[in-house]
Amino acid sequence: MQSFQRTQLVRRHHRRRSERQEHKSRPFKQAGLGLAGLLVVVFSLLTAGLGYAAYTLTSGLPDVAQIPAMLDAQNGTLLQPTRLYDRTGTTLLAALENPGMERRFLPLEAAQANALSPELAQAAVMFFQPDYWEAPYLDMGSLTADRPATIAERLVSNILLPTQEDGLVDRLQVRLLASQTLTRYGKAQVLEWYLNSASFGHLTFGADSAARLYLGKSASQLNWFEAALLIAAIETPALNPLDAPTAAHERQLEVLDRMAETGLISLTDLEAARTQPIITPEPQQLEETTAAAFTALVLDQVADVVGHKVLERGGLQIITTLDYDLQVQLDCTIRAQLSRLAEVGGGGPASACPAADLLPQLPLTTGTRAVLPELAASGAVLDPLSGQVLALTGDTTLTGGESMLIAHPSGTLQSPWLALTGFARGLSPATLVWDIPATAEEGTRYPQGFHGPARLRTALANDYLAGLNQILQQVGLDAVTATVRSLGLSDFALPQDSAEVLTSGAALSPLEAAYGYVPFSTLGVQSGVQWPEEDKLAPQLVLAVENTGDNSKSVEISPTLRPVINEQLAYLVHHVLSDEPARWPGLKHPNPLELDRPA
């Protein structure tokens, strides 16, 4: 019995000691479990983060398999410059190229006919990546470099990611695509592609085009001195021999110095090269561009969307809104009218083109040539229902035309917008205005004289400036500015001196003035194109942008319609402007603005 009790005591003692030990170790076990759980959570988060980073890095990246089609020696899309066509897609308006400099692809392998000059290939490797042939396909040390560090990175940055920014993710994406390209196609092919697609400035892409433009020879015939010139042009395309011959020569000598330092050429060759004259190519004879002002606007509009680099590199077909036949008629009519105005004694309607036959008779005058300055005119034709520009000319004289639209003081073109502002504030076409000078100074400002009391309808139709200026003082400059900007002219700005508004006013191009009038003919609706990240509408110049290599990637652009003013207010202005009898006090009857068709 005692033995049994001793046994029980021993067991209780051991149990209590075990419980005490377990109690002491419990915090450590719990801490261990917590740490293990924390590690699991951290590992999960790290895995998810790496997965998200990988997704961000690779999402939306172009496929390197596109490169062969873009740079195929026979039918590569980038061998074709960007071209602009009229709305039918058949009449060529302009091409972004150097006339006569067809883009050609030359092989790198010296054994092939017309291969790239070995001097050029060796100079490119020496200057851009001396360890090119030995370097690994993916250099971990260059992952965060500030700019494309290798030839492969330059290639993919130029043709696959031309609009890429300079963030860390962007740089990593370039390195990733460069590694894929090298792995898939090899270093010789990458170097060949790079030399045949690099930009050499002055809309020149590919070594052969650059050699023929700047040196007058093929890229298969270059010596060290000439190869250095092209390498310098790749590095700084803006400093090319045509646009900056002195700077191009200095950069060329810097490349030659590097060649001598690396042993590519001897010091004797370097000294001989330094004695060579500056290369100054003959300026090109530029071809006359159809609708130069229009095409300049198109290029600006498309460049805002796809980027200048993509636009200039080529492979795009841009179908514009231009009606070529209407453009010819507009240009012809302007020149016909200028010719008639420049002739002594005026003359009858011209018949150089059918549209010119619609010009009204000119009054017979004498001495016209002596009193008129050099005459110039411009014009714009829009489809108000779509906002599409059908024809457009810059300032045109009898000797030629401008390639850019020029803004001119808009003067009384602003009167309908002033009237619209007044109608929105309770005025009407029947409102009485006093066309009398408010001050002695104003009495000399308006040489056409004064007409006393008149209805706003009559003042607007006949440009009674003193009466209209009273309306301007009543509604205020800020109100008129806000009204015009609501119509689509977001940059409209009036002079601070209200007395100058109707005699000079805001500077506008014909296209801007015409676009601001569109809501009058559509009873308050503005039409046009709205580009990404912009709230305003603009006249539509482009119907579609197509990739010459894959038309399925064409982007069609549709107009946007937006009510901008009250329908009743737009109708009031429209009715006054179409009121022929209202114009009789100033223009008499009949007058040039009386047409045989609704307008």
Side-chain angles (χ1 to χ4, degrees):
M1 181 67 177
Q2 291 179 348
S3 174
F4 174 76
Q5 290 177 342
R6 282 197 299 271
T7 301
Q8 291 294 102
L9 288 171
V10 170
R11 289 178 177 175
R12 282 198 296 270
H13 176 72
H14 283 297
R15 185 169 59 252
R16 289 171 183 168
R17 185 170 62 181
S18 299
E19 289 175 353
R20 285 195 299 270
Q21 291 176 347
E22 183 178 354
H23 180 73
K24 291 179 181 180
S25 65
R26 186 174 301 162
F28 296 101
K29 291 181 179 179
Q30 292 176 343
L33 291 173
L35 180 60
L38 180 61
L39 289 175
V40 171
V41 172
V42 170
F43 179 77
S44 300
L45 291 175
L46 182 60
T47 302
L50 290 175
Y52 179 75
Y55 173 77
T56 302
L57 188 62
T58 59
S59 177
L61 279 183
D63 190 347
V64 298
Q66 300 177 50
I67 300 179
M70 299 169 75
L71 298 176
D72 179 74
Q74 301 299 325
N75 302 307
T77 58
L78 294 185
L79 295 182
Q80 302 298 322
T82 293
R83 293 188 171 96
L84 281 67
Y85 293 88
D86 72 341
R87 66 189 301 112
T88 67
T90 57
T91 301
L92 179 65
L93 303 179
L96 291 185
E97 62 179 347
N98 292 291
M101 295 297 165
E102 179 185 358
R103 299 183 185 184
R104 293 196 303 176
F105 192 101
L106 300 188
L108 180 67
E109 187 178 346
Q112 297 189 42
N114 293 322
L116 288 166
S117 162
E119 287 83 356
L120 178 64
Q122 293 177 50
V125 170
M126 177 279 303
F127 192 83
F128 296 120
Q129 191 182 354
D131 65 342
Y132 179 68
W133 299 108
E134 298 81 24
Y137 288 168
L138 181 61
D139 183 3
M140 300 301 293
S142 70
L143 284 179
T144 58
D146 290 339
R147 56 182 301 180
T150 69
I151 291 174
E153 290 166 10
R154 287 171 173 268
L155 173 68
V156 299
S157 179
N158 286 344
I159 67 174
L160 293 182
L161 299 171
T163 60
Q164 198 82 329
E165 298 181 358
D166 195 31
L168 177 60
V169 172
D170 304 309
R171 296 198 294 269
L172 291 175
Q173 289 178 333
V174 169
R175 270 78 181 169
L176 178 61
L177 287 178
S179 176
Q180 292 177 359
T181 305
L182 286 169
T183 302
R184 187 162 184 169
Y185 300 108
K187 292 187 175 181
Q189 180 65 84
V190 167
L191 179 59
E192 180 180 273
W193 279 339
Y194 178 63
L195 292 176
N196 280 286
S197 64
S199 170
F200 291 81
H202 207 81
L203 292 178
T204 304
F205 295 89
D208 190 65
S209 295
R212 287 183 288 117
L213 179 64
Y214 300 142
L215 301 167
K217 60 169 60 177
S218 169
S220 63
Q221 304 169 347
L222 304 180
N223 57 34
W224 290 116
F225 182 73
E226 295 162 341
L229 179 74
L230 295 193
I231 296 301
I234 295 180
E235 184 68 3
T236 51
L239 303 181
N240 61 75
L242 267 174
D243 298 325
T246 302
H249 183 68
E250 293 174 356
R251 295 284 296 122
Q252 179 187 20
L253 294 180
E254 292 174 10
V255 175
L256 287 166
D257 286 337
R258 288 271 296 275
M259 288 181 177
E261 291 173 3
T262 58
L264 203 57
I265 62 174
S266 66
L267 293 178
T268 303
D269 293 334
L270 176 62
E271 292 304 318
R274 288 184 174 278
T275 65
Q276 296 290 325
I278 296 177
I279 294 175
T280 54
E282 288 291 328
Q284 285 186 289
Q285 297 295 324
L286 298 180
E287 297 179 350
E288 186 175 348
T289 302
T290 303
F294 176 82
T295 56
L297 285 181
V298 170
L299 293 175
D300 286 342
Q301 196 174 81
V302 176
D304 287 341
V305 179
V306 305
H308 284 282
K309 291 182 179 180
V310 175
L311 186 65
E312 293 178 352
R313 183 163 290 278
L316 299 178
Q317 289 185 352
I318 300 172
I319 310 301
T320 72
T321 60
L322 189 85
D323 183 320
Y324 183 74
D325 292 335
L326 188 58
Q327 175 70 26
V328 171
Q329 293 295 317
L330 175 62
D331 184 72
C332 173
T333 303
I334 286 177
R335 295 180 187 277
Q337 181 73 344
L338 291 175
S339 178
R340 296 169 62 211
L341 290 172
E343 291 177 1
V344 176
S351 58
C353 51
D357 290 335
L358 300 176
L359 291 170
Q361 291 280 353
L362 290 177
L364 293 177
T365 59
T366 58
T368 306
R369 189 186 302 276
V371 298
L372 287 177
E374 182 180 10
L375 298 173
S378 54
V381 181
L382 280 78
D383 179 352
L385 299 181
S386 65
Q388 294 178 2
V389 181
L390 303 179
L392 181 69
T393 64
D395 277 25
T396 301
T397 67
L398 289 174
T399 58
E402 295 286 347
S403 62
M404 301 294 292
L405 277 183
I406 298 177
H408 297 281
S410 50
T412 55
L413 284 176
Q414 303 162 112
S415 299
W417 300 325
L418 170 61
L420 175 64
T421 308
F423 294 157
R425 283 155 179 76
L427 303 183
S428 74
T431 296
L432 181 66
V433 298
W434 289 89
D435 186 50
I436 58 176
T439 63
E441 178 185 0
E442 193 173 71
T444 61
R445 182 178 297 129
Y446 305 131
Q448 73 276 27
F450 303 91
H451 306 83
R455 298 300 179 187
L456 179 53
R457 174 187 295 273
T458 305
L460 177 59
N462 295 276
D463 288 337
Y464 291 171
L465 299 187
L468 293 175
N469 194 54
Q470 291 182 16
I471 301 298
L472 177 62
Q473 301 298 328
Q474 182 176 341
V475 300
L477 294 176
D478 292 341
V480 176
T481 300
T483 297
V484 179
R485 289 182 177 179
S486 72
L487 303 179
L489 305 186
S490 57
D491 297 326
F492 182 85
L494 290 172
Q496 293 301 312
D497 185 358
S498 60
E500 297 181 357
V501 169
L502 295 175
T503 54
S504 59
L508 297 175
S509 71
L511 180 58
E512 291 173 316
Y515 195 59
Y517 275 38
V518 164
F520 297 141
S521 62
T522 58
L523 296 184
V525 177
Q526 184 60 281
S527 54
V529 61
Q530 180 175 338
W531 292 110
E533 301 180 1
E534 291 189 9
D535 181 55
K536 66 179 183 179
L537 295 180
Q540 185 176 353
L541 304 168
V542 177
L543 294 177
V545 178
E546 301 175 351
N547 188 312
T548 56
D550 185 358
N551 287 334
S552 65
K553 292 185 178 179
S554 65
V555 178
E556 295 186 359
I557 301 170
S558 301
T560 298
L561 304 181
R562 181 184 298 171
V564 292
I565 53 177
N566 181 278
E567 180 178 345
Q568 287 76 17
L569 297 178
Y571 174 78
L572 289 177
V573 178
H574 177 83
H575 191 271
V576 172
L577 295 181
S578 62
D579 188 347
E580 290 188 353
R583 293 192 290 268
W584 291 350
L587 297 179
K588 309 305 179 185
H589 174 65
N591 62 70
L593 295 185
E594 294 181 354
L595 306 176
D596 58 357
R597 54 198 178 278

